[in-house]
Amino acid sequence: MTGEYGQKHNPNVTPGSPLLGAFKVLLGAAIVAVALYFSIGIAVDYVVPVLPDRAVNWAARKVTWVRVPETARDLDAERSVQQLADRLMEANPGSPEISVLVVKRNMVNAFAFPDGTVMIFKGLLDQMKSENELAFILGHEMAHVKNRDALRRLGRTFVFGLITDAAGLGSENVFDNPAALSELAFSRTQESRADREGMDYAHSLYGHVGGCDQFFVDMTHEKDDPAWSNYFRSHPLADDRIQDLADHAESMGYQTGEVFPLILPGPEDQTI
Amino acid sequence: MLEQVLIQYLPLLILLVVTFFTGRIIERRHYKSILKWEEEFSRLRHTSIGRRVNGGAGVTESRLVCGEAVVSVEFFRWFVGLLHSMFGGAMREYESSLDRARREAILRMKQSAAGASAIVNVRIEHTPISYGMSRFSGVEAIAWGTAVYKDTEI
């Protein structure tokens, strides 16, 4: 047998450029992935609100949503914020159970995960002037958990994870990097609703809503601070929210009252 | 955000680009060597027929000869093949490895049959080399047959 065919014109190898073939497959995979991603997102938006609590709890616990190394957490601050959260939960029977995670980062933001984990950055705690203000923020995040906002937003990631797992590609849907949390941006309506319900929660605890809007009032003065930039990307404008909160307080007949100063343990320079 | 994605997928991208080129270079060189050796061994014929030729007259010696070759599939082809295997279609990526492994195995079989008049009753087998559930890494080909030594040409 003489050598007849090599790399080219080989009857045993499908003709065509390998690079073009690879490109076609990659493009096909990308199109399928994107289509799947969006259709799942839409489906999740419709399905999550009507799911029974049991299913939601199952889905929420199926995934480790967030993993923060202990060294990146401020455990002392975490304990005191958790105590406040516990009081808030006690004052509001039927509210979702939340567990607080304080991350040593100079970022002004907080996130709620479907399993009730509330991640608060040290940068936000540093901005807090009163306990009432923090109670309102916690209430706001609690409302997000209760309204299944996080699951609605992350459900897509969750289902997508299940599919890639099944396909053997394997993926871990863990937010190792807090900067990747932009997934958790909620809609304007979701935020307003969480604001109102957060105010309700704070009202149940203190009997008044004093200090609730303090955070937003501070915020309007801090727009150019880089630590806040992430916050503004994921939240609606502060002025509107102050007005919304005032309207809500008025319609519910909430009064303002004395605010408690916030005392958090630990040295100031713990923030990294 | 884009930065994050880039950092996460940069190693994969680099691996794909690098292995694409190494795979192409190795394939070209392998085919070059295959073509050269096929030319060299063109006089030693091999056939899958096993029946007696001329009543076996003149056969002085016959023995089993065997050739094996393992040809790997580089990361680029494996990755594209993985996607192909999901969507369907000819897995072009693996075909060249199969072709090269088979021809290399035949050549090595011929190499071990120096001085033979022909190799008859040739059989070829393939085995995929893989580890894990999805990581296919290459193909092994074994060719074997009976080398026939004769006083005169068949």
Side-chain angles (χ1 to χ4, degrees):
Chain A
M1 185 175 115
T2 53
E4 280 157 7
Y5 41 82
Q7 206 168 11
K8 292 195 176 88
H9 313 298
N10 190 328
N12 280 327
V13 179
T14 311
S17 153
L19 203 56
L20 190 69
F23 184 72
K24 274 185 194 162
V25 175
L26 287 172
L27 195 70
I31 289 170
V32 168
V34 168
L36 215 59
Y37 190 74
F38 280 102
S39 55
I40 288 170
I42 292 163
V44 163
D45 260 358
Y46 281 103
V47 169
V48 164
V50 296
L51 280 180
D53 279 341
R54 256 188 56 212
V56 171
N57 287 337
W58 173 83
R61 294 195 196 317
K62 187 93 171 68
V63 178
T64 313
W65 296 99
V66 66
R67 187 180 294 150
V68 182
E70 203 140 291
T71 47
R73 286 161 58 185
D74 188 336
L75 296 171
D76 293 328
E78 211 170 279
R79 259 190 297 279
S80 28
V81 177
Q82 182 67 51
Q83 271 168 22
L84 180 60
D86 290 342
R87 278 166 57 206
L88 202 60
M89 286 185 270
E90 233 170 77
N92 292 280
S95 63
E97 211 169 287
I98 59 170
S99 65
V100 177
L101 212 63
V102 175
V103 179
K104 283 192 266 182
R105 269 218 173 193
N106 191 21
M107 199 157 89
V108 184
N109 219 336
F111 295 100
F113 290 89
D115 61 351
T117 302
V118 172
M119 191 182 195
I120 298 178
F121 292 101
K122 196 77 198 322
L124 180 112
L125 284 185
D126 292 341
Q127 299 289 333
M128 296 284 111
K129 293 194 175 61
S130 68
E131 193 189 288
N132 304 56
E133 200 179 338
L134 182 58
F136 166 73
I137 300 288
L138 287 173
H140 174 97
E141 301 303 336
M142 261 162 85
H144 275 318
V145 176
K146 194 200 73 159
N147 297 336
R148 301 172 183 177
D149 291 339
L151 191 62
R152 224 187 291 186
R153 186 53 68 162
L154 292 177
R156 179 199 314 225
T157 319
F158 171 65
V159 176
F160 211 62
L162 285 185
I163 290 175
T164 46
D165 274 350
L169 292 177
S171 80
E172 263 200 346
N173 291 299
V174 180
F175 289 91
D176 280 321
N177 184 354
L181 285 168
S182 49
E183 271 284 337
L184 273 170
F186 301 129
S187 75
R188 178 90 177 76
T189 336
Q190 286 173 328
E191 288 294 347
S192 300
R193 189 176 166 195
D195 274 352
R196 290 195 300 273
E197 291 176 1
M199 191 178 226
D200 295 341
Y201 285 142
H203 184 265
S204 307
L205 178 60
Y206 297 109
H208 66 80
V209 293
C212 275
D213 60 353
Q214 187 59 46
F215 176 65
F216 301 123
V217 175
D218 290 346
M219 202 168 118
T220 50
H221 307 304
E222 310 255 5
K223 266 190 179 154
D224 299 324
D225 192 326
W228 287 73
S229 63
N230 182 288
Y231 184 87
F232 284 115
R233 245 181 281 139
S234 58
H235 287 81
L237 287 169
D239 291 334
D240 297 347
R241 296 176 76 178
I242 297 170
Q243 192 54 49
D244 283 352
L245 281 177
D247 291 347
H248 182 63
E250 203 186 314
S251 69
M252 298 296 283
Y254 291 158
Q255 302 296 314
T256 55
E258 196 195 347
V259 297
F260 301 99
L262 182 69
I263 299 146
L264 288 175
E268 284 292 323
D269 58 0
Q270 265 193 339
T271 310
I272 49 167
Chain B
M1 195 66 200
L2 190 73
E3 233 174 82
Q4 292 298 325
V5 171
L6 213 65
I7 289 168
Q8 198 175 349
Y9 292 104
L10 201 62
L12 176 72
L13 202 69
I14 291 171
L15 208 57
L16 283 175
V17 170
V18 169
T19 56
F20 171 75
F21 285 110
T22 58
R24 289 288 283 178
I25 291 165
I26 289 166
E27 185 186 37
R28 188 174 309 136
R29 285 169 58 174
H30 194 189
Y31 266 125
K32 225 177 189 175
S33 119
I34 286 173
L35 288 171
K36 185 182 145 237
W37 281 103
E38 278 178 349
E39 193 74 52
E40 197 119 317
F41 284 119
S42 59
R43 293 203 49 188
L44 176 57
R45 281 174 292 169
H46 66 285
T47 169
S48 65
I49 297 171
R51 69 181 169 85
R52 286 185 177 189
V53 184
N54 269 352
V59 173
T60 54
E61 188 194 343
S62 70
R63 63 184 183 90
L64 177 77
V65 283
C66 200
E68 292 144 4
V70 183
V71 174
S72 64
V73 170
E74 80 268 14
F75 182 78
F76 174 82
R77 282 170 206 259
W78 169 77
F79 186 79
V80 177
L82 184 75
L83 295 174
H84 245 145
S85 70
M86 257 183 232
F87 300 117
M91 278 171 94
R92 178 189 200 293
E93 298 76 31
Y94 292 180
E95 288 172 350
S96 142
S97 304
L98 197 62
D99 184 56
R100 276 148 59 203
R102 176 177 51 79
R103 288 162 75 173
E104 182 74 37
I106 290 171
L107 286 171
R108 289 181 183 182
M109 175 184 73
K110 286 187 176 183
Q111 230 169 341
S112 60
S117 313
I119 304 173
V120 296
N121 217 352
V122 171
R123 299 288 179 267
I124 302 162
E125 282 277 350
H126 289 108
T127 313
I129 306 282
S130 62
Y131 45 90
M133 283 285 281
S134 54
R135 183 72 170 92
F136 174 84
S137 59
V139 62
E140 179 195 33
I142 305 175
W144 71 95
T146 307
V148 181
Y149 295 79
K150 287 191 76 169
D151 296 337
T152 50
E153 287 278 313
I154 299 174

